[in-house]
Amino acid sequence: MASFATSTSLRSLVNPGVSSRKDFLIRPPSMALLVIDVQESLTKVDASNGNYKNAIGFPRMIKNTKRLVDAVRFNRDNRDGCGSEVIFTYLEALTDDSRDVSLDYKLSGPLLSNLPNPSAPAKFLPDLTPISGKDICVPKTSCSVFTSTNLNYILRNLNIEQIVVCGQLTDQCVESAVRDAADLGYFVSVVEDACGAKTEDCHRKGLHGMKGFSRRVTTDQVLQEIGIVEINAKAGNEECMRLNQADAVESRSHTLSIPPSSEYVRNYDRGSHSAIIRSLRAAGVKFLRYAVVDVYNSMRCKTVPISHIMSQLPNRTRQTWRTVSSSRPLDNAVSIAEGCIAGMVSYADKIVTSSNLSARNVLVLRPDFCSLRILPYAPQTAMVMCTVHNQQTNKLSPLCTRGLLERVLHVAREDLGIEFCVGAELEFMLYRTGPSGVPEPVDISTFASSLTLNEQNKFIDLVYDQLEEQDIAIELIHCESASSQLEVVIRYCNNPIQLADDIVLARETISACAKMFGMKALFLPKTSMSDAGNGLHLHFSFKDNNGNDEFSDRTRQNGISAKGESFIEGILHRLPSLLSISMPTVNSFRRIGPGCFTGHRVEWAFEDKEVPIRVAANLTTGEATTVEYKLADSSANIYLQLAMILSAGMEGIKSGRILRPKSEGDCVASDETNLTIERIPKSLQESLNFLKCDDFLQATMGNELDTAYVAVRQFEITETESKTLEEEVAIAFRKA
């Protein structure tokens, strides 16, 4: 058994924004096992009662807590320089009448207001009793041990950096201790099968509440990390101890120091990267394309040859260990100036001075391999979507829209307890150069017509096959209302990041396929004032963290839950501002108006396609299932618009906004006949003015992103508002 290095502080190994809790496995010299409230008065098991607590929860907790205590005691007592601490914290007052216990306990009934005390001390379970003089005992009088004791002082004196937590109750004293320990700067591991609660639901909720503050581990995992092997449960603890004692004696005969598992993560990282690269090479891939969508929806890519990345892989014969790896060969392979991410206009490589961005500061692209795809239209190339990070600190850049969406979804999960589901309807038109040299539609079709489906069936087949090869699920393809216009419905997805990636990849695929047939796919919001425009309709619903529908509620008048109604109202409340993000060009606003199937007033309705916010119903049951946001198009950055729309809805939930009455009138009628309903901004400038006054959306974006966004869009308005629609179509055709 190798000795563990103790000189390096784990905290010094943290790389902010890069390191995660899973990088820091347990290092025995710096760990303490904290056993919470496993005492006789609170942990009795009634074998005659078959409920969760007595049949499963507490018996499992007691059994595994004993295994942990025995193992950590063995490390402490038998391994030189590799000791660990066992700390029992338990409920016991300092006074006989319990007058010193917390107010919370005094208000929580007779059990907690009359704790064990100096005259009647706390009693422990026979197999889980502290060893006097060796185990540390810390009586407490509050839910969190850190609130009513000097435990933090004790741990600092012992140079403890890692706390392994077990005991009860999972959703009360355990969760309180874990959250406080994390805030105090400890690495916390919660042993999920050594914690107990009164019900299984309480246990799950407690574990979920600790998700952002700790690692969730099992007893077996802890024993493995601290180097304990249980070889024969029936033989009892002594046989295991003798075996490990022999290992400990053997370890003292060596001078070789092997790094602890918490510091040995490089091989895992490099190994996975090696596997990815070798798999791509075996598939015939020559190039890896690093891709990011800039703030104004331009795809920015850099390609690295696979052969070059292979040359960066570790030499198997000369591997060295490192603490926390920053040398993963696929990370930090390419960089880009921050001005290219958020300072350039959407139609040219021109940095807007008032964006406060330039080419001086460099950002690195960090790949998300969940998005990795081999491109069917360029089969020797794979592409991976990236987030952008500060080159010096490796922290996520505030200009990264994909990262912003990730952060919004994290808040939804952790603060609101909801998970979003999103779907998309992607519209585009097929154009080619006409006899006069001017771009024109490839046919004159109408809504749900078979014309384009028949004439472009080979193109549609190819698009479908190539999307399927990239695992982009399609549920519907049909002709839309404009000439040569198609709509591709991307399947509803419970991962909004994946849905956003799929939209980006789908647009790239459709464009590439169109060129193979001598056409170009135009996603421009408006191509003809006599035809409907191209939208990107987005559908939303949400579930709780256990997967239960939280959007619908058939018992309510509208069939929408209270949270669902507040979510919709949150979006309606900020719709004038949101349009500057979801319809971010001068051309975008050509698409909306009475009779354009987009809506032109701030209102909602059931199944009415002439309102901007439509509640869609299940085709079979008629029940409300999703809310459709219609005022979005493909000129917007999909990550940014999803982040901002969801944030607006979340603010509605958080504030408990009351949903305004649904529209019952003529949604096509002009504004003059509906003076009581707020109209939608008629131009990008008007919507941008709303955004400039919207403190919430500005705060969500952050100062750097908000400043750059407003500056660039304002500059674009000045440069493009005088262009005719024909000029806009010609530019879009050249770029497609």
Side-chain angles (χ1 to χ4, degrees):
M1 183 69 64
S3 62
F4 288 82
T6 60
S7 57
T8 305
S9 165
L10 291 178
R11 295 183 182 94
S12 69
L13 305 177
V14 173
N15 191 350
V18 176
S19 301
S20 67
R21 291 176 178 83
K22 66 181 181 182
D23 294 331
F24 298 92
L25 309 187
I26 298 168
R27 186 168 70 172
S30 63
M31 71 85 73
L33 176 68
L34 181 61
V35 183
I36 297 178
D37 295 350
V38 181
Q39 60 193 95
E40 187 179 273
S41 60
L42 301 175
T43 323
K44 289 180 179 179
V45 173
D46 181 0
S48 64
N49 191 326
N51 63 15
Y52 170 83
K53 169 187 168 183
N54 290 283
I56 299 174
F58 276 26
R60 180 179 61 193
M61 173 194 70
I62 293 168
K63 173 187 173 183
N64 288 325
T65 298
K66 184 180 186 307
R67 292 171 63 199
L68 292 168
V69 168
D70 289 343
V72 177
R73 282 173 175 166
F74 178 82
N75 257 347
R76 179 194 65 201
D77 298 339
N78 294 281
R79 290 181 171 170
D80 293 346
C82 294
S84 307
E85 298 292 345
V86 177
I87 301 176
F88 285 85
T89 184
Y90 50 94
L91 296 182
E92 184 176 289
L94 301 176
T95 57
D96 286 348
D97 60 2
S98 294
R99 64 181 182 274
D100 59 297
V101 305
S102 69
L103 176 62
D104 174 55
Y105 277 11
K106 290 174 181 174
L107 297 173
S108 299
L111 180 64
L112 294 178
S113 61
N114 294 286
L115 299 182
N117 54 67
S119 298
K123 296 180 181 179
F124 297 89
L125 304 182
D127 292 333
L128 282 171
T129 298
I131 299 176
S132 179
K134 290 191 174 182
D135 297 334
I136 297 173
C137 296
V138 182
K140 68 186 181 78
T141 56
S142 64
C143 188
S144 172
V145 62
F146 289 97
T147 300
S148 57
T149 75
N150 64 343
L151 179 59
N152 184 42
Y153 172 79
I154 295 170
L155 294 172
R156 301 295 184 194
N157 289 343
L158 294 169
N159 294 318
I160 297 297
E161 293 185 284
Q162 296 175 299
I163 303 176
V164 177
V165 181
C166 61
Q168 60 99 16
L169 296 164
T170 314
D171 56 327
Q172 297 184 30
C173 294
V174 172
E175 182 177 353
S176 295
V178 165
R179 285 171 171 260
D180 286 350
D183 285 342
L184 288 168
Y186 294 98
F187 297 87
V188 186
S189 297
V190 177
V191 191
E192 58 187 10
D193 59 356
C195 292
K198 293 180 179 179
T199 68
E200 185 175 11
D201 185 55
C202 289
H203 183 63
R204 283 200 309 267
K205 288 180 178 177
L207 292 174
H208 179 76
M210 295 181 277
K211 181 179 178 182
F213 300 86
S214 64
R215 287 195 312 150
R216 280 174 58 175
V217 295
T218 64
T219 301
D220 289 339
Q221 186 177 344
V222 172
L223 299 186
Q224 181 180 6
E225 291 181 17
I226 66 177
I228 295 295
V229 180
E230 296 176 307
I231 61 169
N232 190 341
K234 291 185 178 179
N237 190 53
E238 290 184 2
E239 182 171 345
C240 290
M241 294 305 178
R242 284 197 299 270
L243 174 68
N244 286 296
Q245 177 68 33
D247 288 344
V249 171
E250 181 183 352
S251 73
R252 288 196 291 270
S253 67
H254 295 283
T255 57
L256 179 66
S257 178
I258 304 297
S261 56
S262 61
E263 299 179 20
Y264 193 69
V265 298
R266 187 201 61 109
N267 274 352
Y268 291 106
D269 288 337
R270 279 194 168 175
S272 63
H273 282 215
S274 298
I276 291 170
I277 293 304
R278 292 191 171 96
S279 296
L280 290 174
R281 184 180 64 173
V285 173
K286 290 185 178 180
F287 305 104
L288 179 59
R289 188 180 297 176
Y290 289 74
V292 63
V293 179
D294 76 12
V295 173
Y296 312 104
N297 203 40
S298 295
M299 179 75 96
R300 306 284 180 180
C301 304
K302 290 189 177 183
T303 296
V304 181
I306 295 295
S307 59
H308 173 72
I309 302 175
M310 289 290 295
S311 71
Q312 307 301 308
L313 297 179
N315 185 328
R316 286 187 177 184
T317 62
R318 295 186 292 107
Q319 290 194 48
T320 58
W321 73 274
R322 305 177 99 180
T323 52
V324 177
S325 170
S326 61
S327 60
R328 304 193 305 173
L330 292 171
D331 284 351
N332 305 329
V334 297
S335 63
I336 192 168
E338 67 177 13
C340 297
I341 291 294
M344 285 183 174
V345 293
S346 59
Y347 48 83
D349 284 345
K350 180 191 296 184
I351 294 181
V352 177
T353 305
S354 54
S355 70
N356 295 336
L357 301 175
S358 68
R360 287 191 298 272
N361 295 325
V362 174
L363 303 172
V364 294
L365 273 59
R366 184 69 45 78
D368 177 358
F369 289 106
C370 292
S371 68
L372 180 67
R373 304 286 197 281
I374 296 175
L375 303 178
Y377 49 87
Q380 292 186 318
T381 297
M383 185 161 75
V384 63
M385 303 306 298
C386 302
T387 48
V388 292
H389 298 252
N390 182 283
Q391 187 180 34
Q392 281 73 42
T393 66
N394 278 321
K395 290 184 177 180
L396 186 68
S397 169
L399 302 174
C400 180
T401 55
R402 196 172 193 273
L404 174 60
L405 178 55
E406 290 178 359
R407 289 185 282 136
V408 168
L409 296 174
H410 175 79
V411 171
R413 285 191 299 270
E414 300 301 324
D415 290 4
L416 299 181
I418 58 176
E419 304 266 1
F420 284 106
C421 303
V422 186
E425 301 171 12
L426 179 60
E427 297 174 344
F428 62 95
M429 298 172 188
L430 295 172
Y431 268 59
R432 62 165 55 102
T433 303
S436 62
V438 176
E440 63 181 27
V442 299
D443 60 46
I444 307 297
S445 57
T446 54
F447 177 75
S449 164
S450 62
L451 179 62
T452 306
L453 298 180
N454 292 336
E455 293 188 357
Q456 307 303 331
N457 70 300
K458 291 183 179 179
F459 162 74
I460 293 170
D461 287 349
L462 182 63
V463 168
Y464 177 78
D465 289 343
Q466 293 205 356
L467 293 177
E468 192 173 51
E469 284 184 49
Q470 298 170 79
D471 292 323
I472 300 174
I474 303 301
E475 48 175 69
L476 188 67
I477 300 173
H478 67 91
C479 289
E480 261 295 349
S481 296
S483 299
S484 73
Q485 185 180 35
L486 289 170
E487 177 178 286
V488 174
V489 179
I490 300 176
R491 184 182 297 169
Y492 212 55
C493 178
N494 60 7
N495 182 342
I497 295 287
Q498 178 187 323
L499 187 280
D501 290 342
D502 286 351
I503 290 172
V504 172
L505 293 166
R507 285 198 297 245
E508 292 281 300
T509 302
I510 291 167
S511 296
C513 290
K515 291 177 182 178
M516 296 179 194
F517 289 87
M519 303 180 292
K520 288 192 175 183
L522 296 192
F523 297 92
L524 187 70
K526 194 72 170 178
T527 62
S528 169
M529 293 310 295
S530 61
D531 275 341
N534 289 315
L536 176 62
H537 299 180
L538 300 169
H539 289 256
F540 302 99
S541 68
F542 47 87
K543 302 177 181 179
D544 66 21
N545 290 328
N546 294 319
N548 301 309
D549 180 19
E550 284 266 277
F551 178 77
S552 307
D553 185 348
R554 67 178 64 182
T555 66
R556 293 173 59 86
Q557 181 179 2
N558 290 322
I560 309 169
S561 70
K563 282 185 179 179
E565 290 187 354
S566 294
F567 177 79
I568 295 171
E569 182 58 35
I571 294 173
L572 287 167
H573 180 69
R574 301 191 183 279
L575 190 59
S577 304
L578 286 171
L579 297 188
S580 64
I581 294 164
S582 63
M583 295 175 46
T585 67
V586 171
N587 179 272
S588 295
F589 281 80
R590 299 186 191 274
R591 186 172 71 91
I592 63 174
C596 292
F597 299 105
T598 58
H600 59 290
R601 297 189 296 268
V602 181
E603 58 188 342
W604 74 280
F606 276 101
E607 292 292 14
D608 190 331
K609 295 183 182 294
E610 275 292 347
V611 293
I613 305 298
R614 177 180 77 101
V615 174
N618 183 284
L619 294 178
T620 302
T621 65
E623 295 176 358
T625 55
T626 67
V627 57
E628 180 185 16
Y629 183 99
K630 303 188 71 173
L631 294 178
D633 62 50
S634 286
S635 65
N637 176 308
I638 183 60
Y639 305 98
L640 180 60
Q641 63 176 316
L642 282 177
M644 303 308 283
I645 294 168
L646 293 176
S647 293
M650 289 161 56
E651 188 276 333
I653 294 174
K654 192 82 170 178
S655 301
R657 292 190 181 276
I658 305 301
L659 180 61
R660 66 194 68 187
K662 63 177 178 288
S663 175
E664 300 284 4
D666 182 2
C667 295
V668 184
S670 65
D671 293 329
E672 286 73 17
T673 61
N674 290 275
L675 298 177
T676 61
I677 303 177
E678 180 185 5
R679 68 170 178 82
I680 283 172
K682 293 184 177 181
S683 67
L684 176 58
Q685 183 64 70
E686 189 178 344
S687 180
L688 199 62
N689 291 340
F690 276 103
L691 179 63
K692 293 175 184 178
C693 300
D694 195 318
D695 293 341
F696 172 77
L697 291 185
Q698 288 180 323
T700 301
M701 293 175 75
N703 183 62
E704 289 182 57
L705 179 56
D706 173 64
T707 298
Y709 188 85
V710 171
V712 172
R713 291 305 188 197
Q714 190 67 65
F715 184 89
E716 289 184 340
I717 291 171
T718 303
E719 287 216 332
T720 63
E721 63 182 351
S722 62
K723 292 188 181 299
T724 65
L725 179 57
E726 291 72 24
E727 289 174 323
E728 292 173 335
V729 172
I731 293 170
F733 187 79
R734 288 198 300 270
K735 292 183 64 177

